[in-house]
PDB file of all heavy atoms in Angstrom:
ATOM      1  N   MET A 356      -1.645   1.494 -52.490  1.00 93.00           N
ATOM      2  CA  MET A 356      -3.056   1.899 -52.373  1.00 93.00           C
ATOM      3  C   MET A 356      -3.471   2.811 -53.523  1.00 93.00           C
ATOM      4  O   MET A 356      -4.647   3.175 -53.638  1.00 93.00           O
ATOM      5  CB  MET A 356      -3.288   2.624 -51.036  1.00 93.00           C
ATOM      6  CG  MET A 356      -3.145   1.723 -49.825  1.00 93.00           C
ATOM      7  SD  MET A 356      -3.265   2.665 -48.278  1.00 93.00           S
ATOM      8  CE  MET A 356      -5.037   2.801 -48.087  1.00 93.00           C
ATOM      9  N   GLY A 357      -2.494   3.224 -54.335  1.00 92.00           N
ATOM     10  CA  GLY A 357      -2.799   4.025 -55.527  1.00 92.00           C
ATOM     11  C   GLY A 357      -2.730   5.525 -55.300  1.00 92.00           C
ATOM     12  O   GLY A 357      -3.169   6.300 -56.152  1.00 92.00           O
ATOM     13  N   CYS A 358      -2.176   5.960 -54.154  1.00 94.00           N
ATOM     14  CA  CYS A 358      -2.102   7.409 -53.864  1.00 94.00           C
ATOM     15  C   CYS A 358      -0.701   7.938 -54.119  1.00 94.00           C
ATOM     16  O   CYS A 358       0.274   7.191 -54.022  1.00 94.00           O
ATOM     17  CB  CYS A 358      -2.438   7.690 -52.401  1.00 94.00           C
ATOM     18  SG  CYS A 358      -4.050   7.118 -51.910  1.00 94.00           S
ATOM     19  N   ALA A 359      -0.611   9.248 -54.357  1.00 95.00           N
ATOM     20  CA  ALA A 359       0.706   9.886 -54.545  1.00 95.00           C
ATOM     21  C   ALA A 359       1.312  10.139 -53.173  1.00 95.00           C
ATOM     22  O   ALA A 359       0.656  10.683 -52.285  1.00 95.00           O
ATOM     23  CB  ALA A 359       0.531  11.195 -55.298  1.00 95.00           C
ATOM     24  N   VAL A 360       2.560   9.723 -52.999  1.00 97.00           N
ATOM     25  CA  VAL A 360       3.251   9.912 -51.713  1.00 97.00           C
ATOM     26  C   VAL A 360       4.702  10.288 -52.000  1.00 97.00           C
ATOM     27  O   VAL A 360       5.314   9.747 -52.911  1.00 97.00           O
ATOM     28  CB  VAL A 360       3.141   8.636 -50.830  1.00 97.00           C
ATOM     29  CG1 VAL A 360       3.545   7.380 -51.557  1.00 97.00           C
ATOM     30  CG2 VAL A 360       3.928   8.763 -49.525  1.00 97.00           C
ATOM     31  N   THR A 361       5.233  11.247 -51.247  1.00 97.00           N
ATOM     32  CA  THR A 361       6.654  11.598 -51.408  1.00 97.00           C
ATOM     33  C   THR A 361       7.313  11.551 -50.044  1.00 97.00           C
ATOM     34  O   THR A 361       6.708  11.950 -49.045  1.00 97.00           O
ATOM     35  CB  THR A 361       6.851  13.024 -51.964  1.00 97.00           C
ATOM     36  OG1 THR A 361       5.868  13.867 -51.413  1.00 97.00           O
ATOM     37  CG2 THR A 361       6.798  13.090 -53.453  1.00 97.00           C
ATOM     38  N   ASP A 362       8.563  11.073 -50.017  1.00 94.00           N
ATOM     39  CA  ASP A 362       9.256  11.106 -48.737  1.00 94.00           C
ATOM     40  C   ASP A 362      10.101  12.347 -48.655  1.00 94.00           C
ATOM     41  O   ASP A 362      10.613  12.850 -49.646  1.00 94.00           O
ATOM     42  CB  ASP A 362      10.048   9.827 -48.462  1.00 94.00           C
ATOM     43  CG  ASP A 362      11.205   9.617 -49.402  1.00 94.00           C
ATOM     44  OD1 ASP A 362      11.187  10.191 -50.495  1.00 94.00           O
ATOM     45  OD2 ASP A 362      12.112   8.863 -49.040  1.00 94.00           O
ATOM     46  N   THR A 363      10.201  12.865 -47.439  1.00 92.00           N
ATOM     47  CA  THR A 363      11.054  14.011 -47.163  1.00 92.00           C
ATOM     48  C   THR A 363      12.084  13.475 -46.175  1.00 92.00           C
ATOM     49  O   THR A 363      11.884  12.383 -45.619  1.00 92.00           O
ATOM     50  CB  THR A 363      10.215  15.135 -46.539  1.00 92.00           C
ATOM     51  OG1 THR A 363       9.577  14.621 -45.370  1.00 92.00           O
ATOM     52  CG2 THR A 363       9.144  15.635 -47.487  1.00 92.00           C
ATOM     53  N   PRO A 364      13.193  14.202 -45.905  1.00 84.00           N
ATOM     54  CA  PRO A 364      14.191  13.613 -45.009  1.00 84.00           C
ATOM     55  C   PRO A 364      13.605  13.201 -43.660  1.00 84.00           C
ATOM     56  O   PRO A 364      13.986  12.201 -43.084  1.00 84.00           O
ATOM     57  CB  PRO A 364      15.222  14.725 -44.854  1.00 84.00           C
ATOM     58  CG  PRO A 364      15.047  15.593 -46.057  1.00 84.00           C
ATOM     59  CD  PRO A 364      13.613  15.484 -46.466  1.00 84.00           C
ATOM     60  N   GLU A 365      12.652  13.957 -43.152  1.00 95.00           N
ATOM     61  CA  GLU A 365      12.129  13.671 -41.811  1.00 95.00           C
ATOM     62  C   GLU A 365      10.640  13.371 -41.803  1.00 95.00           C
ATOM     63  O   GLU A 365       9.955  13.622 -40.823  1.00 95.00           O
ATOM     64  CB  GLU A 365      12.389  14.866 -40.888  1.00 95.00           C
ATOM     65  CG  GLU A 365      13.850  15.135 -40.682  1.00 95.00           C
ATOM     66  CD  GLU A 365      14.116  16.005 -39.471  1.00 95.00           C
ATOM     67  OE1 GLU A 365      13.173  16.318 -38.741  1.00 95.00           O
ATOM     68  OE2 GLU A 365      15.283  16.353 -39.280  1.00 95.00           O
ATOM     69  N   GLY A 366      10.106  12.861 -42.903  1.00 98.00           N
ATOM     70  CA  GLY A 366       8.671  12.572 -42.908  1.00 98.00           C
ATOM     71  C   GLY A 366       8.178  12.216 -44.286  1.00 98.00           C
ATOM     72  O   GLY A 366       8.898  11.629 -45.094  1.00 98.00           O
ATOM     73  N   PHE A 367       6.932  12.599 -44.585  1.00 98.00           N
ATOM     74  CA  PHE A 367       6.328  12.271 -45.878  1.00 98.00           C
ATOM     75  C   PHE A 367       5.095  13.139 -46.123  1.00 98.00           C
ATOM     76  O   PHE A 367       4.552  13.750 -45.197  1.00 98.00           O
ATOM     77  CB  PHE A 367       5.964  10.776 -45.954  1.00 98.00           C
ATOM     78  CG  PHE A 367       5.169  10.278 -44.772  1.00 98.00           C
ATOM     79  CD1 PHE A 367       3.784  10.331 -44.758  1.00 98.00           C
ATOM     80  CD2 PHE A 367       5.813   9.761 -43.651  1.00 98.00           C
ATOM     81  CE1 PHE A 367       3.062   9.885 -43.667  1.00 98.00           C
ATOM     82  CE2 PHE A 367       5.088   9.299 -42.546  1.00 98.00           C
ATOM     83  CZ  PHE A 367       3.706   9.370 -42.555  1.00 98.00           C
ATOM     84  N   THR A 368       4.689  13.175 -47.406  1.00 98.00           N
ATOM     85  CA  THR A 368       3.474  13.891 -47.808  1.00 98.00           C
ATOM     86  C   THR A 368       2.596  12.905 -48.581  1.00 98.00           C
ATOM     87  O   THR A 368       3.105  12.145 -49.414  1.00 98.00           O
ATOM     88  CB  THR A 368       3.854  15.067 -48.748  1.00 98.00           C
ATOM     89  OG1 THR A 368       4.703  15.928 -48.017  1.00 98.00           O
ATOM     90  CG2 THR A 368       2.639  15.843 -49.214  1.00 98.00           C
ATOM     91  N   ILE A 369       1.296  12.901 -48.276  1.00 98.00           N
ATOM     92  CA  ILE A 369       0.382  11.969 -48.949  1.00 98.00           C
ATOM     93  C   ILE A 369      -0.774  12.761 -49.541  1.00 98.00           C
ATOM     94  O   ILE A 369      -1.376  13.585 -48.850  1.00 98.00           O
ATOM     95  CB  ILE A 369      -0.172  10.930 -47.944  1.00 98.00           C
ATOM     96  CG1 ILE A 369       0.951  10.011 -47.444  1.00 98.00           C
ATOM     97  CG2 ILE A 369      -1.310  10.098 -48.568  1.00 98.00           C
ATOM     98  CD1 ILE A 369       0.541   9.049 -46.350  1.00 98.00           C
ATOM     99  N   ASP A 370      -1.078  12.505 -50.813  1.00 96.00           N
ATOM    100  CA  ASP A 370      -2.281  13.088 -51.397  1.00 96.00           C
ATOM    101  C   ASP A 370      -3.384  12.040 -51.307  1.00 96.00           C
ATOM    102  O   ASP A 370      -3.326  11.007 -51.977  1.00 96.00           O
ATOM    103  CB  ASP A 370      -2.022  13.496 -52.863  1.00 96.00           C
ATOM    104  CG  ASP A 370      -1.190  14.771 -52.917  1.00 96.00           C
ATOM    105  OD1 ASP A 370      -1.459  15.688 -52.112  1.00 96.00           O
ATOM    106  OD2 ASP A 370      -0.236  14.821 -53.719  1.00 96.00           O
ATOM    107  N   GLY A 371      -4.360  12.302 -50.465  1.00 95.00           N
ATOM    108  CA  GLY A 371      -5.431  11.327 -50.226  1.00 95.00           C
ATOM    109  C   GLY A 371      -6.144  10.980 -51.523  1.00 95.00           C
ATOM    110  O   GLY A 371      -6.303  11.828 -52.403  1.00 95.00           O
ATOM    111  N   CYS A 372      -6.566   9.714 -51.652  1.00 91.00           N
ATOM    112  CA  CYS A 372      -7.176   9.282 -52.924  1.00 91.00           C
ATOM    113  C   CYS A 372      -8.263   8.262 -52.654  1.00 91.00           C
ATOM    114  O   CYS A 372      -8.497   7.373 -53.457  1.00 91.00           O
ATOM    115  CB  CYS A 372      -6.112   8.688 -53.836  1.00 91.00           C
ATOM    116  SG  CYS A 372      -5.413   7.174 -53.195  1.00 91.00           S
ATOM    117  N   ASP A 373      -8.858   8.316 -51.485  1.00 79.00           N
ATOM    118  CA  ASP A 373      -9.900   7.368 -51.085  1.00 79.00           C
ATOM    119  C   ASP A 373      -9.297   5.998 -50.754  1.00 79.00           C
ATOM    120  O   ASP A 373      -9.957   5.143 -50.194  1.00 79.00           O
ATOM    121  CB  ASP A 373     -11.000   7.245 -52.164  1.00 79.00           C
ATOM    122  CG  ASP A 373     -12.131   6.360 -51.690  1.00 79.00           C
ATOM    123  OD1 ASP A 373     -12.488   6.472 -50.500  1.00 79.00           O
ATOM    124  OD2 ASP A 373     -12.638   5.544 -52.481  1.00 79.00           O
ATOM    125  N   GLY A 374      -8.015   5.806 -51.085  1.00 69.00           N
ATOM    126  CA  GLY A 374      -7.316   4.591 -50.684  1.00 69.00           C
ATOM    127  C   GLY A 374      -7.875   3.292 -51.232  1.00 69.00           C
ATOM    128  O   GLY A 374      -7.470   2.218 -50.803  1.00 69.00           O
ATOM    129  N   ARG A 375      -8.807   3.372 -52.175  1.00 72.00           N
ATOM    130  CA  ARG A 375      -9.397   2.122 -52.672  1.00 72.00           C
ATOM    131  C   ARG A 375      -8.668   1.652 -53.922  1.00 72.00           C
ATOM    132  O   ARG A 375      -8.974   2.082 -55.025  1.00 72.00           O
ATOM    133  CB  ARG A 375     -10.890   2.291 -52.956  1.00 72.00           C
ATOM    134  CG  ARG A 375     -11.537   1.022 -53.509  1.00 72.00           C
ATOM    135  CD  ARG A 375     -13.010   1.199 -53.668  1.00 72.00           C
ATOM    136  NE  ARG A 375     -13.662   1.337 -52.373  1.00 72.00           N
ATOM    137  CZ  ARG A 375     -13.960   0.306 -51.586  1.00 72.00           C
ATOM    138  NH1 ARG A 375     -13.648  -0.914 -51.944  1.00 72.00           N
ATOM    139  NH2 ARG A 375     -14.565   0.504 -50.448  1.00 72.00           N
ATOM    140  N   SER A 376      -7.679   0.769 -53.705  1.00 70.00           N
ATOM    141  CA  SER A 376      -6.951   0.233 -54.841  1.00 70.00           C
ATOM    142  C   SER A 376      -7.841  -0.787 -55.539  1.00 70.00           C
ATOM    143  O   SER A 376      -8.533  -1.571 -54.891  1.00 70.00           O
ATOM    144  CB  SER A 376      -5.674  -0.430 -54.334  1.00 70.00           C
ATOM    145  OG  SER A 376      -5.351  -1.502 -55.136  1.00 70.00           O
ATOM    146  N   THR A 377      -7.811  -0.768 -56.880  1.00 70.00           N
ATOM    147  CA  THR A 377      -8.621  -1.772 -57.575  1.00 70.00           C
ATOM    148  C   THR A 377      -7.730  -2.928 -57.994  1.00 70.00           C
ATOM    149  O   THR A 377      -8.216  -4.017 -58.290  1.00 70.00           O
ATOM    150  CB  THR A 377      -9.307  -1.147 -58.799  1.00 70.00           C
ATOM    151  OG1 THR A 377      -8.360  -0.300 -59.438  1.00 70.00           O
ATOM    152  CG2 THR A 377     -10.530  -0.340 -58.404  1.00 70.00           C
ATOM    153  N   ALA A 378      -6.412  -2.697 -57.952  1.00 75.00           N
ATOM    154  CA  ALA A 378      -5.487  -3.773 -58.306  1.00 75.00           C
ATOM    155  C   ALA A 378      -5.096  -4.523 -57.030  1.00 75.00           C
ATOM    156  O   ALA A 378      -5.224  -3.989 -55.928  1.00 75.00           O
ATOM    157  CB  ALA A 378      -4.250  -3.167 -58.950  1.00 75.00           C
ATOM    158  N   ALA A 379      -4.625  -5.774 -57.200  1.00 80.00           N
ATOM    159  CA  ALA A 379      -4.170  -6.542 -56.038  1.00 80.00           C
ATOM    160  C   ALA A 379      -2.950  -5.855 -55.427  1.00 80.00           C
ATOM    161  O   ALA A 379      -2.138  -5.260 -56.127  1.00 80.00           O
ATOM    162  CB  ALA A 379      -3.818  -7.950 -56.493  1.00 80.00           C
ATOM    163  N   ILE A 380      -2.843  -5.911 -54.086  1.00 86.00           N
ATOM    164  CA  ILE A 380      -1.709  -5.288 -53.390  1.00 86.00           C
ATOM    165  C   ILE A 380      -0.780  -6.394 -52.907  1.00 86.00           C
ATOM    166  O   ILE A 380      -1.237  -7.423 -52.411  1.00 86.00           O
ATOM    167  CB  ILE A 380      -2.210  -4.484 -52.160  1.00 86.00           C
ATOM    168  CG1 ILE A 380      -3.135  -3.345 -52.574  1.00 86.00           C
ATOM    169  CG2 ILE A 380      -1.052  -3.965 -51.338  1.00 86.00           C
ATOM    170  CD1 ILE A 380      -3.599  -2.477 -51.394  1.00 86.00           C
ATOM    171  N   SER A 381       0.524  -6.152 -53.030  1.00 93.00           N
ATOM    172  CA  SER A 381       1.484  -7.100 -52.483  1.00 93.00           C
ATOM    173  C   SER A 381       2.578  -6.308 -51.766  1.00 93.00           C
ATOM    174  O   SER A 381       3.217  -5.439 -52.354  1.00 93.00           O
ATOM    175  CB  SER A 381       2.066  -7.917 -53.644  1.00 93.00           C
ATOM    176  OG  SER A 381       3.048  -8.760 -53.148  1.00 93.00           O
ATOM    177  N   ILE A 382       2.740  -6.556 -50.468  1.00 95.00           N
ATOM    178  CA  ILE A 382       3.692  -5.779 -49.661  1.00 95.00           C
ATOM    179  C   ILE A 382       4.619  -6.732 -48.916  1.00 95.00           C
ATOM    180  O   ILE A 382       4.150  -7.726 -48.330  1.00 95.00           O
ATOM    181  CB  ILE A 382       2.950  -4.931 -48.573  1.00 95.00           C
ATOM    182  CG1 ILE A 382       1.862  -4.055 -49.161  1.00 95.00           C
ATOM    183  CG2 ILE A 382       3.933  -4.149 -47.700  1.00 95.00           C
ATOM    184  CD1 ILE A 382       2.302  -2.728 -49.695  1.00 95.00           C
ATOM    185  N   ASP A 383       5.904  -6.414 -48.900  1.00 96.00           N
ATOM    186  CA  ASP A 383       6.836  -7.150 -48.055  1.00 96.00           C
ATOM    187  C   ASP A 383       7.013  -6.338 -46.772  1.00 96.00           C
ATOM    188  O   ASP A 383       7.468  -5.194 -46.817  1.00 96.00           O
ATOM    189  CB  ASP A 383       8.173  -7.316 -48.797  1.00 96.00           C
ATOM    190  CG  ASP A 383       9.207  -8.025 -47.934  1.00 96.00           C
ATOM    191  OD1 ASP A 383       8.871  -8.409 -46.788  1.00 96.00           O
ATOM    192  OD2 ASP A 383      10.348  -8.190 -48.418  1.00 96.00           O
ATOM    193  N   ALA A 384       6.659  -6.932 -45.640  1.00 96.00           N
ATOM    194  CA  ALA A 384       6.712  -6.199 -44.360  1.00 96.00           C
ATOM    195  C   ALA A 384       8.139  -6.041 -43.831  1.00 96.00           C
ATOM    196  O   ALA A 384       8.339  -5.401 -42.796  1.00 96.00           O
ATOM    197  CB  ALA A 384       5.854  -6.899 -43.325  1.00 96.00           C
ATOM    198  N   THR A 385       9.110  -6.618 -44.511  1.00 93.00           N
ATOM    199  CA  THR A 385      10.532  -6.553 -44.133  1.00 93.00           C
ATOM    200  C   THR A 385      10.747  -6.727 -42.620  1.00 93.00           C
ATOM    201  O   THR A 385      11.471  -5.958 -41.987  1.00 93.00           O
ATOM    202  CB  THR A 385      11.214  -5.246 -44.622  1.00 93.00           C
ATOM    203  OG1 THR A 385      10.457  -4.124 -44.152  1.00 93.00           O
ATOM    204  CG2 THR A 385      11.337  -5.173 -46.120  1.00 93.00           C
ATOM    205  N   GLY A 386      10.099  -7.733 -42.074  1.00 93.00           N
ATOM    206  CA  GLY A 386      10.346  -8.092 -40.670  1.00 93.00           C
ATOM    207  C   GLY A 386       9.795  -7.111 -39.659  1.00 93.00           C
ATOM    208  O   GLY A 386      10.156  -7.170 -38.485  1.00 93.00           O
ATOM    209  N   ASP A 387       8.912  -6.205 -40.073  1.00 97.00           N
ATOM    210  CA  ASP A 387       8.433  -5.156 -39.155  1.00 97.00           C
ATOM    211  C   ASP A 387       6.947  -5.371 -38.861  1.00 97.00           C
ATOM    212  O   ASP A 387       6.098  -5.230 -39.749  1.00 97.00           O
ATOM    213  CB  ASP A 387       8.680  -3.781 -39.806  1.00 97.00           C
ATOM    214  CG  ASP A 387       8.365  -2.635 -38.851  1.00 97.00           C
ATOM    215  OD1 ASP A 387       7.431  -2.767 -38.033  1.00 97.00           O
ATOM    216  OD2 ASP A 387       9.052  -1.601 -38.947  1.00 97.00           O
ATOM    217  N   HIS A 388       6.637  -5.664 -37.581  1.00 98.00           N
ATOM    218  CA  HIS A 388       5.255  -5.972 -37.185  1.00 98.00           C
ATOM    219  C   HIS A 388       4.282  -4.858 -37.525  1.00 98.00           C
ATOM    220  O   HIS A 388       3.170  -5.102 -38.000  1.00 98.00           O
ATOM    221  CB  HIS A 388       5.192  -6.304 -35.690  1.00 98.00           C
ATOM    222  CG  HIS A 388       5.800  -5.296 -34.756  1.00 98.00           C
ATOM    223  ND1 HIS A 388       5.183  -4.874 -33.620  1.00 98.00           N
ATOM    224  CD2 HIS A 388       6.978  -4.619 -34.787  1.00 98.00           C
ATOM    225  CE1 HIS A 388       5.950  -4.010 -32.987  1.00 98.00           C
ATOM    226  NE2 HIS A 388       7.053  -3.828 -33.675  1.00 98.00           N
ATOM    227  N   ARG A 389       4.695  -3.610 -37.292  1.00 98.00           N
ATOM    228  CA  ARG A 389       3.732  -2.518 -37.503  1.00 98.00           C
ATOM    229  C   ARG A 389       3.541  -2.222 -39.000  1.00 98.00           C
ATOM    230  O   ARG A 389       2.461  -1.794 -39.404  1.00 98.00           O
ATOM    231  CB  ARG A 389       4.153  -1.273 -36.731  1.00 98.00           C
ATOM    232  CG  ARG A 389       4.199  -1.532 -35.223  1.00 98.00           C
ATOM    233  CD  ARG A 389       4.112  -0.275 -34.410  1.00 98.00           C
ATOM    234  NE  ARG A 389       4.645  -0.460 -33.075  1.00 98.00           N
ATOM    235  CZ  ARG A 389       3.999  -1.040 -32.055  1.00 98.00           C
ATOM    236  NH1 ARG A 389       2.778  -1.500 -32.223  1.00 98.00           N
ATOM    237  NH2 ARG A 389       4.576  -1.163 -30.873  1.00 98.00           N
ATOM    238  N   ILE A 390       4.540  -2.449 -39.818  1.00 98.00           N
ATOM    239  CA  ILE A 390       4.359  -2.295 -41.273  1.00 98.00           C
ATOM    240  C   ILE A 390       3.427  -3.405 -41.766  1.00 98.00           C
ATOM    241  O   ILE A 390       2.526  -3.159 -42.586  1.00 98.00           O
ATOM    242  CB  ILE A 390       5.733  -2.327 -42.006  1.00 98.00           C
ATOM    243  CG1 ILE A 390       6.564  -1.080 -41.634  1.00 98.00           C
ATOM    244  CG2 ILE A 390       5.561  -2.442 -43.523  1.00 98.00           C
ATOM    245  CD1 ILE A 390       5.944   0.262 -42.055  1.00 98.00           C
ATOM    246  N   ALA A 391       3.594  -4.626 -41.236  1.00 98.00           N
ATOM    247  CA  ALA A 391       2.722  -5.742 -41.659  1.00 98.00           C
ATOM    248  C   ALA A 391       1.263  -5.425 -41.317  1.00 98.00           C
ATOM    249  O   ALA A 391       0.367  -5.585 -42.154  1.00 98.00           O
ATOM    250  CB  ALA A 391       3.163  -7.036 -40.974  1.00 98.00           C
ATOM    251  N   MET A 392       1.008  -4.947 -40.075  1.00 98.00           N
ATOM    252  CA  MET A 392      -0.391  -4.698 -39.681  1.00 98.00           C
ATOM    253  C   MET A 392      -0.977  -3.496 -40.426  1.00 98.00           C
ATOM    254  O   MET A 392      -2.152  -3.501 -40.805  1.00 98.00           O
ATOM    255  CB  MET A 392      -0.482  -4.523 -38.164  1.00 98.00           C
ATOM    256  CG  MET A 392      -0.250  -5.849 -37.434  1.00 98.00           C
ATOM    257  SD  MET A 392      -0.487  -5.749 -35.639  1.00 98.00           S
ATOM    258  CE  MET A 392       1.115  -5.150 -35.115  1.00 98.00           C
ATOM    259  N   ALA A 393      -0.158  -2.469 -40.683  1.00 98.00           N
ATOM    260  CA  ALA A 393      -0.647  -1.319 -41.458  1.00 98.00           C
ATOM    261  C   ALA A 393      -0.998  -1.766 -42.877  1.00 98.00           C
ATOM    262  O   ALA A 393      -2.004  -1.316 -43.448  1.00 98.00           O
ATOM    263  CB  ALA A 393       0.414  -0.208 -41.479  1.00 98.00           C
TER     264      ALA A 393
END
Side-chain angles (χ1 to χ4, degrees):
M356 292 174 82
C358 302
V360 51
T361 37
D362 66 338
T363 57
E365 297 198 5
F367 50 89
T368 299
I369 293 174
D370 285 318
C372 66
D373 185 40
R375 179 175 293 280
S376 148
T377 42
I380 298 183
S381 176
I382 306 275
D383 177 2
T385 54
D387 187 326
H388 53 134
R389 299 201 202 280
I390 293 297
M392 289 185 276

